[in-house]
């Protein structure tokens, strides 16, 4: 027998316990700056760097073509006035070519950007689902499922704006601004410096100022959107209760109130965006006027010729497109960054229990809990609980609701890790057993059986995807559900509806027990498996469990005295202690 944990240092025990409890309160969103969110989201682009470089290159060439169409128009005017020797026919030919090339480059740029965006959305969804699998079930217990659905759908979808319309436009705006500032600076350094300042005001100053005012609104909008999703999902699930107690009108009023509040948040974001666009347009007009004044003064001073003055003014006026795109992102990106922050919260979440792949495989030979202490948040549920579960035995656990019976089963499944003490399976610390081996050795039936929107047979076969129809039928017979299934028009092919809502609580519970029999694990954990059953169906299931004791070990949690009669040993849990 392995020794229990050292309990001599009570101060260290309490410190360790408190730190672990705090670790289970980690669902509050992290506060990240927009820059941090941006950098983390950009980091996900690494597998598609080549496509991003292509999008930036084509976007850069396209914007330069667009700018030089107008600049060449200026050159044509100068040729007409006799201020340069360029051939007008050549100039107009170049303008036509630039227009055609611009169209093709714009199409290719958008194609690359959206290819990157949709590939990354699929990648992010796959990554999020992978993280959720690691977080489940511990970190997902009690989490708002509607809000989680909003993250998996709407929030991830909103990142398309970032990947398709943000990363490459920023790169393009920076490079185009440098090229055009250098082009204007070739006539006079002052013109280049003024152009660089103008680009910075529009592309940096305005979006930063707009973002500061809209950030909280964006975060609030995404949070309220997720909360509304959760509220609507609860309303749909509880529609019968609302009708039964005549609460439909009140529930509808609450939905309308939340919807109006969300619409108000969105309206404020739209108003902020509209204001930013209006301010951007006004400032651009002022900057154009400033360039005209500067070029005129330099011409009057003899620093540049008329051609330099005209071309510089035209070049500035025609090249604000890329930085205007950045200015418009100032408010629009706040919702995107808020959505990205919520997605990153999931990706950065650390699982309460990590999957073991480099540990030991086991053959089940009994289980033990040794001075186990465990609590959720600030509430201690179990305190120094010990029990022995011999192989081929049936152990019963009783106690009042909330005493920790179900929690003890979850610790035996390693859905949670103990705060103090240890759980052993076959003499091995459960934390060192390979997760796949542990799951193969255990079957767990909870009080509420979750069924998927599929047929009865497919729902039972979740426990063993390779099971034959005959094996499914045998498991259902042991669970006293076969006769009921055969009364249905489609038998085992009957759909159970969403969350199994076409079946009664007792029927769902018996399908859960059928899963446990089909899984055929040597260690069966049953949490109130007969709470929704009549005495006849309970007797059939208990007889099946008793007959299986030659090859199975059973832990049975129940309030029913009739259920406890098959137990060899019965423990009582009261106030977190075992007796």
């Amino acid at each position: 027998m392995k020794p229990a944990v050292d309990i001599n240092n009570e101060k260290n025990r309490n410190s360790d316990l408190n730190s672990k409890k705090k670790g289970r309160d980690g669902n509050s969103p992290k506060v990240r700056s927009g820059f941090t969110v941006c950098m983390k989201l950009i980091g996900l682009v690494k597998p598609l760097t080549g496509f991003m470089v292509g999008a930036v290159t084509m976007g850069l060439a396209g914007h330069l073509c667009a700018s030089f169409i107008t600049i060449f128009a200026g050159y044509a005017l100068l040729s007409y006035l006799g201020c340069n020797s360029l051939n007008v026919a050549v100039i107009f030919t170049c303008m036509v070519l630039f227009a055609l090339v611009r169209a093709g480059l714009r199409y290719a740029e958008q194609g690359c950007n959206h290819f990157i965006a949709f590939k990354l959305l699929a990648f992010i969804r796959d990554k999020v689902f992978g993280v959720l699998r690691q977080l489940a079930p511990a970190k997902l217990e009690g989490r708002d499922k509607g809000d989680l659905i909003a993250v998996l759908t709407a929030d991830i979808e909103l990142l398309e704006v970032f990947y398709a319309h943000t990363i490459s436009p920023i790169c393009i705006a920076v490079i185009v601004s440098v090229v055009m500032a250098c082009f204007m600076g070739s006539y006079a350094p002052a013109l280049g410096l003024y152009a660089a300042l103008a680009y910075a005001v529009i592309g940096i100053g305005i979006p930063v100022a707009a973002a500061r005012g809209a950030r909280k609104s964006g975060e609030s909008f995404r949070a309220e959107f997720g909360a509304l999703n959760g509220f609507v999902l609860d309303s749909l699930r509880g529609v019968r209760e609302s009708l039964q107690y005549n609460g439909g009108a009140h529930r509808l009023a609450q939905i309308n109130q939340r919807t109006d509040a969300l619409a108000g948040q969105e309206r404020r974001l739209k108003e902020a965006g509209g204001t930013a666009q209006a301010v951007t347009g006004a400032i651009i007009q002022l900057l154009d006027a400033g360039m005209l004044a500067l070029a005129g003064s330099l011409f009057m001073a003899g620093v540049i010729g008329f051609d330099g003055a005209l071309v510089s003014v035209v070049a500035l006026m025609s090249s604000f497109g890329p930085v205007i795109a950045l200015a418009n992102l100032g408010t629009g990106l706040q919702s995107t960054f808020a959505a990205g922050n919520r997605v990153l919260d999931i990706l950065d979440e650390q699982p309460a229990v990590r999957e073991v792949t480099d540990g030991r495989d086991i053959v089940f030979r009994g289980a033990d809990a040794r001075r186990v202490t465990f609590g959720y948040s600030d509430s201690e549920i179990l305190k120094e609980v010990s029990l022995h579960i011999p192989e081929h035995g049936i152990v019963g656990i009783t106690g009042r609701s909330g005493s920790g019976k179900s929690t003890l089963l979850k610790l035996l499944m390693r859905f949670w890790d103990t705060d103090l003490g240890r759980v052993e399976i076959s003499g091995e610390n459960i934390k060192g057993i390979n997760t796949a081996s542990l799951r193969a050795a255990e079957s767990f039936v909870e009080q509420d059986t979750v069924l998927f929107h599929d047929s009865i047979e497919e729902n039972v076969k979740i426990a063993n995807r390779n099971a034959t129809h005959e094996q499914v039928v045998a498991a259902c017979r042991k669970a006293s559900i076969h006769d009921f299934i055969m009364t249905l028009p489609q038998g085992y092919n009957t759909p159970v509806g969403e969350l199994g809502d076409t079946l009664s609580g007792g029927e769902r519970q018996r399908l859960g027990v059928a899963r446990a029999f089909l899984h055929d694990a040597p260690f069966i954990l049953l949490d109130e498996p007969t709470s929704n059953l009549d005495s006849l169906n309970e007797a059939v299931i208990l007889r099946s469990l008793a007959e299986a004791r030659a090859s199975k070990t059973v832990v049975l949690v129940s309030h029913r005295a009739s259920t406890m009669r098959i137990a060899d040993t019965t423990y009582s849990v009261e106030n977190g202690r075992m007796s």
Side-chain angles (χ1 to χ4, degrees):
M1 181 182 296
K2 297 185 178 181
V5 296
D6 182 11
I7 60 169
N8 292 327
N9 193 332
E10 191 67 25
K11 182 177 180 180
N12 289 339
R13 282 167 54 85
N14 291 336
S15 175
D16 186 40
L17 179 60
N18 290 334
S19 65
K20 291 185 178 182
K21 288 180 179 179
K22 289 178 182 177
R24 286 194 284 271
D25 293 332
N27 287 336
S28 56
K30 295 180 180 178
V31 179
R32 300 180 181 89
S33 67
F35 179 78
T36 301
V37 174
C38 184
M39 289 298 101
K40 283 182 172 288
L41 293 178
I42 289 175
L44 297 175
V45 182
K46 190 175 181 180
L48 299 172
T49 302
F51 288 97
M52 183 59 70
V53 171
V56 171
T57 302
M58 289 181 286
L60 172 63
H63 279 288
L64 290 177
C65 284
S67 296
F68 274 90
I69 290 173
T70 308
I71 293 171
F72 270 48
Y75 282 132
L77 178 60
L78 290 171
S79 295
Y80 178 78
L81 295 174
C83 297
N84 65 39
S85 59
L86 293 176
N87 186 283
V88 174
V90 173
I91 291 175
F92 278 106
T93 300
C94 289
M95 291 174 65
V96 172
L97 289 175
F98 284 164
L100 294 175
V101 172
R102 161 65 172 162
L105 290 172
R106 178 65 174 170
Y107 180 83
E109 176 205 352
Q110 290 300 307
C112 272
N113 280 331
H114 284 87
F115 174 81
I116 292 168
F118 296 134
K119 278 287 186 180
L120 283 174
L121 294 192
F123 169 73
I124 291 172
R125 284 197 176 96
D126 179 71
K127 193 168 184 178
V128 167
F129 278 111
V131 171
L132 290 177
R133 192 180 74 83
Q134 295 177 18
L135 295 178
K139 282 294 186 74
L140 300 185
E141 283 188 3
R143 189 157 187 163
D144 188 331
K145 300 303 185 292
D147 183 65
L148 195 57
I149 291 172
V151 173
L152 294 173
T153 55
D155 286 341
I156 292 179
E157 191 66 29
L158 194 57
L159 295 183
E160 185 265 341
V161 174
F162 178 78
Y163 289 116
H165 305 290
T166 303
I167 299 178
S168 67
I170 290 175
C171 298
I172 292 167
V174 171
I175 299 173
V176 167
S177 297
V178 171
V179 171
M180 295 305 295
C182 291
F183 173 74
M184 285 175 268
S186 66
Y187 288 98
L191 296 175
L193 291 174
Y194 181 87
L197 177 62
Y199 296 140
V201 169
I202 301 301
I204 299 176
I206 290 178
V208 168
R212 287 179 178 175
R215 179 179 179 183
K216 288 187 178 180
S217 295
E219 292 174 348
S220 178
F221 177 79
R222 299 314 304 175
E224 289 186 19
F225 181 80
L228 176 62
N229 268 25
F231 192 81
V232 171
L233 184 60
D234 281 347
S235 300
L236 290 174
R237 287 177 175 173
V239 66
R240 283 183 291 223
E241 286 73 11
S242 295
L243 292 174
Q244 176 184 353
Y245 297 108
N246 199 28
H250 176 66
R251 197 76 180 180
L252 178 61
Q254 288 180 298
I255 291 176
N256 287 336
Q257 182 181 9
R258 288 170 176 256
T259 302
D260 291 342
L262 190 65
Q265 287 277 10
E266 187 174 20
R267 184 176 61 254
R268 285 188 286 274
L269 283 171
K270 296 292 185 183
E271 289 173 351
T275 300
Q277 288 183 7
V279 170
T280 300
I283 292 177
I284 287 175
Q285 296 298 320
L286 293 174
L287 291 171
D288 287 340
M291 173 60 89
L292 181 61
L294 176 60
S297 65
L298 292 175
F299 171 68
M300 294 300 293
V303 177
I304 59 174
F306 179 71
D307 60 336
L310 177 64
V311 170
S312 296
V313 172
V314 171
L316 183 68
M317 289 181 175
S318 66
S319 59
F320 274 118
V323 290
I324 288 176
L326 298 190
N328 294 337
L329 292 175
T331 53
L333 269 185
Q334 296 315 301
S335 290
T336 304
F337 281 164
N341 195 56
R342 284 154 55 82
V343 173
L344 291 173
D345 278 340
I346 293 179
L347 294 179
D348 291 345
E349 185 78 39
Q350 296 300 312
V353 177
R354 294 190 177 277
E355 185 172 348
V356 179
T357 57
D358 57 352
R360 294 172 294 280
D361 293 332
I362 59 166
V363 175
F364 184 78
R365 294 287 183 267
D368 292 275
R370 301 188 186 280
R371 303 187 69 178
V372 168
T373 295
F374 179 82
Y376 301 104
S377 187
D378 295 327
S379 176
E380 189 174 74
I381 305 300
L382 299 172
K383 185 172 183 179
E384 296 196 354
V385 167
S386 297
L387 82 160
H388 175 62
I389 304 168
E391 186 180 9
H392 305 315
I394 299 179
V395 174
I397 301 176
T398 63
R400 294 179 297 178
S401 296
S403 61
K405 306 184 301 298
S406 299
T407 297
L408 185 57
L409 296 189
K410 292 176 183 178
L411 293 175
L412 287 167
M413 286 293 298
R414 201 172 174 249
F415 288 170
W416 291 98
D417 277 332
T418 61
D419 291 326
L420 297 171
R422 59 193 281 156
V423 174
E424 295 179 358
I425 305 292
S426 303
E428 297 282 353
N429 189 331
I430 198 171
K431 296 179 182 180
I433 298 173
N434 287 326
T435 302
S437 177
L438 182 66
R439 296 287 177 262
E442 297 178 323
S443 293
F444 183 33
V445 180
E446 297 189 77
Q447 296 182 46
D448 298 318
T449 299
V450 175
L451 299 180
F452 297 93
H453 200 170
D454 207 336
S455 67
I456 288 177
E457 179 158 351
E458 288 301 311
N459 266 284
V460 177
K461 285 180 69 174
I462 287 172
N464 182 357
R465 300 305 311 177
N466 298 319
T468 64
H469 175 72
E470 290 71 23
Q471 289 173 316
V472 172
V473 171
C476 289
R477 287 185 185 278
K478 294 178 182 179
S480 189
I481 189 70
H482 171 74
D483 291 342
F484 164 75
I485 295 173
M486 297 310 296
T487 66
L488 300 174
Q490 300 180 58
Y492 280 84
N493 293 320
T494 302
V496 301
E498 186 177 9
L499 298 178
D501 59 3
T502 61
L503 303 179
S504 70
E507 290 156 0
R508 291 196 298 270
Q509 196 167 40
R510 281 180 282 166
L511 286 177
V513 175
R515 284 174 176 169
F517 283 123
L518 185 64
H519 188 48
D520 199 27
F523 189 26
I524 303 177
L525 308 171
L526 303 173
D527 190 358
E528 300 285 359
T530 61
S531 59
N532 295 319
L533 305 184
D534 55 38
S535 57
L536 179 60
N537 286 314
E538 178 190 27
V540 173
I541 292 175
L542 293 179
R543 184 174 66 250
S544 297
L545 291 172
E547 291 172 352
R549 67 189 308 158
S551 60
K552 310 292 182 188
T553 301
V554 180
V555 175
L556 191 59
V557 167
S558 180
H559 288 94
R560 287 188 175 186
S562 57
T563 302
M564 287 292 103
R565 289 193 187 114
I566 68 167
D568 303 319
T569 306
T570 301
Y571 293 90
S572 177
V573 182
E574 297 295 338
N575 299 319
R577 293 185 178 275
M578 186 75 76
S579 61

